C-alpha cells in the first residue's frame, strides 16, 4: 500500500523541485498546457471566490496525498490531437485502460448533455484519475468497472494532512474513526454523500466503480457554473479537488499530455505510478514526555540580549510636544462567503418538450414554451425563477401584452411560459429562457408567425368578364375571404392566369395584369383587406382572342377559377334601303 500512497508535497525544497520538474517536463515536451490562472502560482490555496465544490477546508479528497509522477518528455505521436491512437502507437504512459477510458468519455457526454456550458473535457478526468489512483491501479476493474478491492487513502487523522473525523460509520472506507479517500477518483465519504452518482445504472452509487466515480468527479468540477474552457475556472476546479498548487501543476501537466493524444490499452495493463508525495509536517508537534510520565511545557523564549531591542518608550510627558500614537482599531474579518450546495446550484436548462412554435397572424400559439432546470447533480431544481423574453418584430407577446415574464419552476424542475399571442406581422422571432445569476443558463426557441388562413374564398358577383383584343376588362374582380363565417383579413391570395382549371399550364398569352413599368404580368401575390375583401388590379387583354382562366389560390382552401373571354365585338349588318318604284 505504501507504494500507492500519495501525500501532499512537503513545502520548501520538495515543493520547489517538483514544481520545477513539472515546468521542465512541459517545456521539453512542448505540451500545449493553458497558462495557470492568476493567483494559482504558489502555495496551497482554496478555490477563488468561494466557488468550492467540496468541504470548506477539505476539498473533494480531503487534501489527501497523491502521485507526483510527471509525464514523459516525449509526447504522444499526434500533437494537438485529442483523438485515440491505435493500441500499438505512442508511449506506454499515453495508454489508458479500456474501461477507465470509456468511463471518462461517458462522463464527458453525460455532463455535456446536462451542463453543456461547463465544457468538461474527458482528458481532465484522465489527468485527475492518473494522479489520484494511477487510473484505478492500471485498470484493475471488473466487467462492471468496479475495483476488486477498495482503493483507500490513509486515515485523515491530521498527521501531515487534514483531520477529518468519520462521517460514514466506515461504510465506504472501513474506518469508523477517521475518513479516508475512497475509489479511483479518491472522494472522501462526506463529499461522496453529496456528489455520488450511479452512472452505470446498477442502482448503486459506488465510489469504487470507475463509471460512478468519473461522473461524480465531472459534476463536481463543473460546480458553481464553471466553464472549464476558461483557464481560471479550470484552475479553480482542480484546486477544489485538492487545495495544493503543486497538485494543480501535476494535474495540468497530465492534462496537457493527454490532450496531445492517447490510446486504449487492455484493463489491468496500465502503467502504475511510482512516486508518492511526502507528508507535510504536522501543524503542532506533540510535547515530548519527561521522566516520570509528565509532559514538559513548551519552553519560553529566553531573555533577549542587551541592545538587541529598543525599549518601548514610556508615556509622553505633559507639554513636551509629543503625542502618543493612536492605536489602529482591528479590521473586522469579513464573514466567509457561503458555498452553495450542489443541490442549490443551477447546472443546466433544457427543453421540457416544447414543440414547433407556429401560429397565424393574430392567432394564439398552440404550443407553450417549457423548460426544465436541473441542479449541479443533474436532479430537477424547484423554486427557481426562469425569465422568458420575446425578441422580434412580429408583434407577438405573452398573454396580457407582455414581452417578458418570470415563472418559478415546479417540483419537477419545469417552468412553462404563458401562451403566446401572434402579432399582425408575419416572420420569424425568438423566445429566450434565462435562469441563474452568477453564470446564467439560457435556452432559445425559434418561432414564426404566418399569414392568416381562410376556410372559404368566393367571388362577390357573377358578372361575365369579357374584353375585346387589346382592351381592358370593364368589370373588376372582387373576392371575399372568410373563416368560420367571419371576414378573414390579411389572407394571402395568389392570382395566376392559366390555360386550365387545375393551373397545370401557365399562360404566356391572353389576359394579364401590369407591373409598375406597365409590362405584362400574369402572376400576383395579394392580401385581403381588413374587411376580408380583395379587389384585383385591372386586367387587360392582348391581341389573342379566346377563353382563359384566372385561378385564385390560398392556403387551406380550394382554388377559385374565374373565366375570362377575349373576343372581338359582333359586327352589325347594314340595314337594306328600299329603292322607290319607278
Amino acid at each position: 500500500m505504501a507504494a500507492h500512497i500519495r501525500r501532499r508535497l512537503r513545502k520548501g525544497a520538495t515543493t520547489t523541485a517538483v514544481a520545477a520538474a513539472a515546468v521542465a517536463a512541459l517545456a521539453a515536451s512542448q505540451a500545449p498546457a493553458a497558462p495557470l490562472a492568476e493567483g494559482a502560482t504558489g502555495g496551497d490555496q482554496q478555490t477563488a471566490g468561494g466557488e468550492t465544490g467540496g468541504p470548506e477546508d477539505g476539498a473533494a479528497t480531503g487534501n489527501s496525498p497523491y502521485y507526483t509522477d510527471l509525464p514523459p518528455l516525449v509526447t504522444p505521436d499526434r500533437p494537438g490531437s485529442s483523438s485515440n491512437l491505435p493500441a500499438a502507437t505512442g508511449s506506454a504512459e499515453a495508454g489508458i485502460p479500456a474501461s477507465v477510458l470509456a468511463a471518462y468519455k461517458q462522463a464527458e457526454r453525460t455532463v455535456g448533455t446536462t451542463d453543456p456550458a461547463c465544457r468538461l473535457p474527458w482528458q481532465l478526468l484522465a489527468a485527475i484519475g492518473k494522479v489520484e489512483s494511477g487510473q484505478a491501479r492500471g485498470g484493475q476493474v471488473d466487467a462492471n468497472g468496479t475495483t476488486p478491492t477498495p482503493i483507500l487513502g490513509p486515515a485523515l487523522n491530521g498527521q501531515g494532512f487534514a483531520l477529518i473525523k468519520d462521517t460514514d460509520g466506515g461504510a465506504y472506507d472501513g474506518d469508523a474513526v477517521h475518513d479516508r479517500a475512497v475509489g479511483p477518483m479518491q472522494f472522501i465519504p462526506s463529499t461522496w454523500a453529496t456528489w455520488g452518482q450511479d452512472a452505470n445504472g446498477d442502482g448503486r452509487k459506488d465510489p469504487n466503480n470507475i463509471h460512478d466515480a468519473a461522473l461524480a468527479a465531472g459534476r463536481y468540477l463543473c460546480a458553481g457554473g464553471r466553464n472549464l474552457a476558461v483557464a481560471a475556472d479550470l484552475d479553480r476546479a482542480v484546486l477544489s479537488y485538492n487545495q495544493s498548487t503543486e497538485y494543480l501543476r501535476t494535474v495540468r501537466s497530465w492534462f496537457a499530455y493527454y490532450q496531445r493524444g492517447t490510446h486504449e490499452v487492455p484493463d489491468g495493463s496500465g502503467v502504475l505510478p511510482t512516486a508518492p508525495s511526502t507528508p507535510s509536517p504536522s501543524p503542532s508537534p506533540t510535547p515530548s514526555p519527561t521522566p516520570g510520565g509528565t509532559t514538559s511545557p513548551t519552553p519560553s523564549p529566553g531573555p533577549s540580549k542587551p541592545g538587541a531591542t529598543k525599549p518601548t518608550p514610556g508615556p509622553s510627558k505633559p507639554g513636551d510636544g509629543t503625542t502618543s500614537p493612536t492605536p489602529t482599531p482591528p479590521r473586522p474579518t469579513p464573514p466567509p462567503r457561503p458555498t452553495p450546495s450542489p443541490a442549490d446550484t443551477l447546472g443546466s436548462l433544457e427543453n421540457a418538450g416544447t414543440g414547433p412554435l407556429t401560429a397565424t397572424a393574430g392567432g394564439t400559439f398552440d404550443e407553450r414554451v417549457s423548460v426544465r432546470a436541473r441542479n449541479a447533480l443533474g436532479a430537477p431544481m424547484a423554486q427557481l425563477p426562469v425569465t422568458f423574453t420575446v425578441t422580434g418584430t412580429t408583434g407577438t407577446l405573452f398573454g396580457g401584452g407582455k414581452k417578458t415574464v418570470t415563472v418559478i419552476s415546479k417540483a419537477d424542475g419545469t417552468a412553462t411560459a404563458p401562451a403566446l399571442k401572434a402579432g399582425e406581422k408575419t416572420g420569424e422571432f425568438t423566445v429566450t429562457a434565462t435562469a441563474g445569476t452568477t453564470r446564467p443558463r439560457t435556452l432559445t426557441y425559434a418561432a414564426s408567425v404566418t399569414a392568416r388562413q381562410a376556410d372559404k374564398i368566393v367571388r362577390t358577383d357573377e358578372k361575365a368578364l369579357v374584353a375585346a383584343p387589346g382592351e381592358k376588362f370593364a368589370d373588376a374582380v372582387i373576392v371575399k375571404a372568410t373563416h368560420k363565417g367571419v371576414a378573414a383579413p390579411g389572407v394571402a391570395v395568389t392570382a395566376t392566369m392559366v390555360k386550365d382549371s387545375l393551373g397545370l399550364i401557365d399562360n404566356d398569352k391572353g389576359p394579364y395584369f401590369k407591373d409598375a413599368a406597365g409590362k405584362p404580368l400574369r402572376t400576383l401575390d395579394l392580401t385581403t383587406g381588413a374587411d376580408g375583401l380583395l379587389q384585383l388590379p385591372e386586367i387587360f387583354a392582348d391581341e389573342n382572342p379566346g377563353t382563359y382562366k384566372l385561378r385564385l389560390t390560398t392556403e387551406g382552401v380550394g382554388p377559385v377559377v374565374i373565366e375570362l373571354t377575349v373576343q372581338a365585338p359582333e359586327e352589325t349588318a347594314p340595314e337594306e334601303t328600299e329603292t322607290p318604284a319607278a
Side-chain angles (χ1 to χ4, degrees):
M1 183 65 187
H4 301 290
I5 288 182
R6 307 148 290 107
R7 297 178 181 255
R8 297 171 58 193
L9 296 176
R10 183 185 302 277
K11 296 179 180 177
T14 304
T15 297
T16 304
V18 175
V23 174
L26 289 175
S29 63
Q30 299 180 348
L36 296 180
E38 182 178 354
T41 56
D44 294 353
Q45 69 181 59
Q46 291 184 351
T47 301
E51 287 187 2
T52 62
E56 182 178 355
D57 297 320
T61 65
N63 290 330
S64 290
Y66 57 93
Y67 288 111
T68 62
D69 299 57
L70 293 173
L73 298 182
V74 179
T75 58
D77 289 349
R78 293 180 60 182
S81 170
S82 60
S83 304
N84 289 344
L85 298 175
T89 307
S91 70
E93 284 287 1
I96 299 178
S99 294
V100 178
L101 181 60
Y104 296 150
K105 292 186 175 182
Q106 178 188 6
E108 179 191 63
R109 290 191 298 270
T110 302
V111 174
T113 299
T114 60
D115 188 5
C118 176
R119 301 177 69 180
L120 170 72
W122 65 260
Q123 293 91 342
L124 180 59
L125 296 175
I128 291 175
K130 179 68 173 181
V131 302
E132 290 295 344
S133 69
Q135 310 297 20
R137 293 175 177 164
Q140 296 287 343
V141 295
D142 62 20
N144 294 322
T146 303
T147 60
T149 58
I151 299 176
L152 299 175
L156 297 174
N157 56 13
Q159 301 302 310
F161 28 82
L163 171 61
I164 303 179
K165 294 183 179 180
D166 176 66
T167 61
D168 66 331
Y172 291 119
D173 56 12
D175 189 333
V177 178
H178 297 99
D179 272 349
R180 299 170 181 256
V182 182
M185 305 304 281
Q186 288 290 276
F187 279 96
I188 57 173
S190 57
T191 306
W192 184 260
T194 300
W195 292 91
Q197 301 288 308
D198 176 19
N200 62 354
D202 64 356
R204 298 181 59 219
K205 297 178 181 180
D206 185 359
N208 290 296
N209 180 276
I210 185 59
H211 299 284
D212 294 357
L215 180 57
R219 296 203 187 283
Y220 182 93
L221 293 167
C222 290
R226 299 187 185 106
N227 177 359
L228 299 183
V230 177
D233 276 8
L234 188 143
D235 289 350
R236 291 188 184 98
V238 176
L239 287 170
S240 76
Y241 216 87
N242 190 312
Q243 296 168 3
S244 161
T245 302
E246 286 69 37
Y247 177 86
L248 170 62
R249 291 185 185 278
T250 306
V251 169
R252 276 284 204 163
S253 66
W254 282 106
F255 178 46
Y257 181 77
Y258 287 139
Q259 282 185 311
R260 292 266 179 151
T262 185
H263 58 275
E264 178 184 299
V265 298
D267 288 346
S269 64
V271 176
L272 292 175
T274 59
S277 59
T278 55
S280 300
S282 299
S284 55
T286 303
S288 56
T290 60
T294 61
T295 56
S296 58
T298 302
S300 302
S304 55
K305 296 181 180 179
T309 59
K310 294 182 179 181
T312 304
S316 58
K317 297 180 180 179
D320 65 358
T322 62
T323 58
S324 300
T326 303
T328 303
R331 297 178 63 181
T333 302
R337 293 176 58 182
T339 301
S341 68
D344 296 329
T345 302
L346 176 61
S348 64
L349 205 61
E350 60 190 42
N351 186 0
T354 305
L357 295 169
T358 303
T360 57
T364 300
F365 284 76
D366 293 331
E367 286 285 334
R368 294 170 63 181
V369 179
S370 184
V371 300
R372 176 174 284 103
R374 294 187 183 277
N375 61 23
L377 299 176
M381 191 169 185
Q383 298 300 308
L384 179 73
V386 180
T387 299
F388 298 89
T389 304
V390 175
T391 304
T393 59
T394 64
T396 301
L397 299 169
F398 292 111
K402 298 179 180 180
K403 292 189 70 171
T404 300
V405 295
T406 299
V407 179
I408 305 300
S409 63
K410 298 186 295 186
D412 62 354
T414 60
T416 303
L420 287 163
K421 177 74 173 180
E424 292 299 327
K425 185 176 180 181
T426 61
E428 306 292 325
F429 69 96
T430 60
V431 180
T432 301
T434 305
T437 53
T438 304
R439 282 186 173 86
R441 298 291 192 262
T442 61
L443 196 61
T444 300
Y445 297 81
S448 62
V449 177
T450 59
R452 281 186 173 86
Q453 294 184 3
D455 55 19
K456 188 176 183 181
I457 182 169
V458 295
R459 189 181 171 197
T460 58
D461 61 57
E462 299 295 333
K463 291 181 180 180
L465 299 171
V466 181
E471 300 294 330
K472 179 177 68 175
F473 285 81
D475 296 308
V477 176
I478 302 174
V479 295
K480 184 173 184 178
T482 57
H483 180 73
K484 296 182 179 179
V486 178
V491 175
V493 178
T494 300
T496 309
M497 300 295 180
V498 295
K499 289 183 178 179
D500 62 299
S501 297
L502 297 177
L504 300 177
I505 306 174
D506 293 340
N507 266 345
D508 55 2
K509 60 183 179 179
Y512 61 89
F513 304 106
K514 286 184 178 180
D515 63 14
K519 295 181 179 180
L521 191 66
R522 291 186 166 86
T523 298
L524 282 178
D525 290 323
L526 307 165
T527 304
T528 60
D531 54 1
L533 293 175
L534 171 62
Q535 178 173 327
L536 272 65
E538 293 179 324
I539 302 175
F540 299 86
D542 64 8
E543 299 299 330
N544 299 287
T547 300
Y548 301 90
K549 309 290 184 182
L550 169 61
R551 190 170 188 262
L552 304 177
T553 57
T554 185
E555 187 175 352
V557 181
V560 174
V561 180
I562 301 171
E563 189 172 278
L564 303 173
T565 302
V566 179
Q567 67 180 24
E570 293 182 2
E571 295 185 3
T572 303
E575 296 182 0
E576 294 183 359
T577 303
E578 294 183 3
T579 304

